[in-house]
Amino acid sequence: MRVSDLLRILALIFVLITSWIFIYSYFSFSKRTIGLPRWLAGSDSKKIRVVKNKCGLSKPCADNFFAFKICSGAANVVGPSICFEDHMIMSPVKNNVGRGLNIALVNGTTGMVLKHDHFDMYSGDVQLLVKFLKGISEGMLVLVASYDDPGTKMNDEIRAFFSTLGSSYAKHLGFRDSWIFLGAKDIKNKSPFEQFLKNNPNTNKYDGWPEMLELEGCVPRKVL
């Protein structure tokens, strides 16, 4: 065998050995340093749970409390909504809201929806609202959301009704004001669940109407 042939064989063996060492080192390093993210690790990973609170509240209510969320209408374009214990009682999607006052009555002990209706306070018959309010009995929760104009036909009798339910602003309610409220027949003090915005050309968000209001919270269950 010539020397040149021997050198070629030795060079080939060297290249093969060097390549094998490189490949082995590379894959060994990869195994040590590269791993799947924990969320792809299969049975050993923890599942991510998305918790949805009732009515979309920012935090859950404690035991013996009802979750609610009330939104007034936006100008005369977007209707109001009333949600109670994750049940959407009234909303534009349900097509059961209207101009004026939108009201839902709920059993304060069981959380059962008893009745709901809307009353036109611009050109409607306010005696229908008076009759509705007179039907409210002790233990009922009253949820109210305004839309467009809740105050043109508001009279002293209706203002007094809402005041006995715990409202602080019913006596001030006027043309195109925004108002949302939760009260009760047998409440001892003024309700903490109420928001009110006066129709004011200098501060209105919309052309002719104040900003839409939104109120959420947890109301205690009435225990018999």
Side-chain angles (χ1 to χ4, degrees):
M1 180 181 291
R2 289 183 297 179
V3 175
S4 59
D5 293 335
L6 181 60
L7 291 175
R8 288 193 189 96
I9 292 173
L10 291 175
L12 179 61
I13 293 172
F14 177 78
V15 171
L16 290 175
I17 293 174
T18 304
S19 300
W20 181 84
I21 292 173
F22 174 78
I23 294 171
Y24 177 80
S25 300
Y26 175 79
F27 281 104
S28 296
F29 175 79
S30 299
K31 289 179 181 178
R32 291 195 302 270
T33 59
I34 299 176
L36 288 174
R38 305 190 81 167
W39 58 275
L40 290 176
S43 59
D44 294 334
S45 64
K46 294 182 180 180
K47 293 182 178 179
I48 299 175
R49 294 181 58 194
V50 178
V51 179
K52 178 182 179 299
N53 296 320
K54 293 178 179 179
C55 292
L57 267 62
S58 56
K59 59 182 180 180
C61 294
D63 293 340
N64 290 323
F65 281 77
F66 293 124
F68 74 91
K69 187 173 185 177
I70 307 173
C71 298
S72 71
N76 63 345
V77 179
V78 180
S81 62
I82 298 176
C83 179
F84 191 86
E85 277 295 280
D86 221 23
H87 170 48
M88 188 62 71
I89 304 173
M90 305 182 74
S91 74
V93 174
K94 297 177 75 72
N95 196 29
N96 60 356
V97 296
R99 177 175 65 179
L101 294 177
N102 296 263
I103 308 176
L105 304 181
V106 176
N107 186 303
T109 300
T110 66
M112 180 182 296
V113 178
L114 303 173
K115 187 186 296 186
H116 60 81
D117 208 341
H118 55 86
F119 303 91
D120 188 341
M121 300 301 290
Y122 182 76
S123 60
D125 183 1
V126 293
Q127 290 307 310
L128 296 176
L129 175 58
V130 171
K131 182 180 179 181
F132 184 90
L133 295 174
K134 286 183 176 180
I136 299 174
S137 59
E138 290 191 3
M140 288 186 184
L141 296 175
V142 184
L143 295 84
V144 185
S146 68
Y147 179 34
D148 188 6
D149 176 24
T152 294
K153 287 207 167 185
M154 183 73 66
N155 57 36
D156 291 340
E157 183 181 17
I158 296 173
R159 296 181 195 279
F161 267 118
F162 282 118
S163 294
T164 60
L165 296 173
S167 173
S168 300
Y169 295 104
K171 57 187 177 182
H172 303 300
L173 200 61
F175 176 64
R176 288 186 176 178
D177 292 342
S178 286
W179 181 47
I180 48 180
F181 168 66
L182 186 151
K185 176 73 172 182
D186 50 355
I187 194 169
K188 295 180 180 179
N189 300 305
K190 292 300 180 182
S191 171
F193 305 116
E194 186 173 24
Q195 289 186 17
F196 173 75
L197 271 180
K198 197 71 181 170
N199 172 21
N200 186 331
N202 297 320
T203 58
N204 283 346
K205 181 174 182 179
Y206 311 112
D207 185 17
W209 289 268
E211 186 176 2
M212 181 188 78
L213 296 175
E214 182 176 302
L215 175 66
E216 65 173 50
C218 304
V219 59
R221 182 191 304 267
K222 180 178 174 62
V223 181
L224 297 176

